[in-house]
Amino acid sequence: MSDVAKTPITVAYGDGIGPEIMKASLRVMEAAGAALDIQSIEIGEQVYLRGHSSGIEDAAWDSLRRTKVFFKAPITTPQGGGYKSLNVTVRKSLGMFANVRPCVAYAPFVPTNHPGMDLIVVRENEEDLYAGIEYQQTDDVMESMKIISRPGSERIVRYAFDLARSQGRKKVTCMTKDNIMKISDGLFHRCFNDIGQIYRDIEQDHYIIDIGMARVATRPERFDVIVLPNLYGDILSDVTAETTGSVGLGPSANIGPHCSMFEAIHGSAPDIAGRGIANPSGLLLAGVMMLVHIGQNKVAEKVHNAWLKTIEDGVHTGDIYQAGRSTQKVGTQDFADAVIERLGQTPSKLRSVSYPESEGRVAIGTVENHPPQKKEIVGVDIYLHSRLTTDQIAEKMKASECEGMVCNLITNRGVKVWPDGMAETFTSDHWRCRFMCDSTVTHAQIVTLLNKIIEQDLDFIKVEQLCKFNGEIAFSLGQGQ
Ligand code: NAD
C-alpha cells in the first residue's frame, strides 16, 4: 500500500494478553496492506500504579486528539478502590456516544445453540445510570441518577438506523422499560418512534427490555440491529456475545464525532497472559471495524475473509478448539500466521464479507435543534431525611404550607404513605413530600417553603421542581396515588 497515505492511529498494547494479541492483530493487518502510522501510548495497570486514578496520562490524550482513532488492547484494572474505569473515562471524555457490538455465530466451527445468529447491538454510551451521579441521601438510602436526554437518544437512534441502512440490515429493534420509567425511557422510545419515521424502508419494533432480552437469549436469529439505553445495552451485549459461542471472538467499536475506539470485548485474561495461547480474534475483528472506519475497506475485507477461512479450516486457538471438529490447535502467533497465509482467500462454508469502497463510515447526524418548551412550575417535591413517623412528618408538612402551596402527598421510597397509606408499607428514613399550587410557583415561593420546613426542625436533602412543559404534566405520580 505504498501509494496510500498512512492513516495515523493511536495504539495501546494494554496488559495481560494485550501485548500478545495486539502484536498478532497488527501483523495480520499490515500483511494485508493496512497503511497505518502507529503512535503507541501506555495505558492501564502501570499507569494506575504510578498514581493516575484514570489509568491514562496527559500525553496519551494528546495522541488520541491528534489521531482520533484508538486501537486498544484490554487492560487490567487494579483491585481495590479509587481506580476509575479507563474505558468509561475515555469514551465519555472524548464523546464516544455509540457502542457498536456485532455478534455473529460461526457454527458449526464454533459451537453455539443459535447457529443463525447475526445481529448488532448499538448501545448508548454516555448517559443513563452511567452518568455516574450518585449520592448517599440518608442513613438508609442511596440514589443513582438515570439521565436520558433528547439529543443523546435521538443521536444514538439515528446512528442505529444509519448503520442498519449502510450494512443492508432489514430491522431495527428498540428496547426500553417505559412501562415503568415512562418519562426517561419513555423519551428514548418516543425518539425511536419519531426518528424511525425518516427510515420507513427499515422494519422497526419495540420490546420491553425484560421480555426483549429473554427473546434475544432464546431466539437471537430473529433480531438484526438492536438499539438501547446504556445499562440495558451493557447487559444485552454481554448476553449476545456469550450466545455466539465465545466471548474471545467479539469486537466492539466506540464511535464519536471526534474520536473512535476499537477493541475486543474480553478483558486482559491474566490467567493465560504470557503463555502465547490467547485468541487474538476479538481484537483482530475490532481492527477490521477500524479499517472500515478509516476508509481502508478493501484491506478490512481481505483480513475478515482470511480470518473466516482460517476458522472454517479448523485452525483454532485453545479457547475454541474441539477435538474432532478443529483440525489444528495453535497459539496466538501461529493463528496470526494462519490468517496471513489465507489473505486473498474467501470462506466456502461461512458467509464471506464484502466492504465496498463506495461505503464510507456511518455518518454521525447533527443534533436537532428543538424550539424551547414553555415551562411552568406547578409544585415542588421536598425530600427529607428523618426518623419521625409518617403522621409526625405529615403534621409538620401541613404546618409548613404557605404561599398557596398545599402538601397533598407523602411517599417513602416512592410508595404513597400519606394520605390514606397502608399499615403494611415499610418506611425508611427517606421521605418525599409533594406540595402543589393552583397557580404558577416562583423560585422565591420555594425558598419561603424551605424556610418553613427548617422552622419545623426538619432536614431537607433535595428539592425537585414539578413542572408542566408545553402544558403537559412532566413528573411521575406517587405509586398508589
Ligand atoms: P477476561 O475477559 O479477561 O477473562 C475471562 C475468561 O476468558 C478468562 O478465563 C480468560 O482466560 C478467558 N479469555 C478472555 N479473553 C480471551 C482470549 N482472547 N483468548 C482466550 N481466552 C480468553 O475477564 P476477567 O478475568 O473478568 O478480567 C480480567 C481483567 O480484565 C480485569 O482486570 C478486568 O478489569 C479487565 N477487563 C478489561 C476490559 C477492557 O480493557 N476493555 C474489559 C473487561 C475486563
Side-chain angles (χ1 to χ4, degrees), residues 29 31 61 75 78 98 126 155 158 196 198 206 216 247 265 269 310 318 348 406 459-460 479-480:
M29 290 156 65
W61 289 115
I75 59 145
E126 295 178 297
R155 196 155 65 150
R158 202 180 272 273
I198 309 166
H206 172 269
V216 176
V247 232
I265 60 173
T310 310
S348 51
V406 176
D459 175 15
F460 68 82
Q479 214 166 33

Side-chain angles (χ1 to χ4, degrees), residues 8 128 138 178 247 313 321 337 389 425 469 471 481:
D128 197 350
T138 68
D178 67 339
V247 232
D313 284 349
Y321 179 86
D337 288 337
T389 64
T425 306
F469 279 89
Q481 197 180 16

Side-chain angles (χ1 to χ4, degrees), residues 3 6 28 56 67 98 128 152 180 191 211 217 270 275 362 402 425 445 476 478:
D3 55 335
K6 290 187 170 184
V28 174
I56 180 164
T67 67
D128 197 350
I180 301 295
C191 289
I211 186 62
R275 292 169 53 195
V362 177
C402 60
T425 306
Q445 283 173 289
S476 55

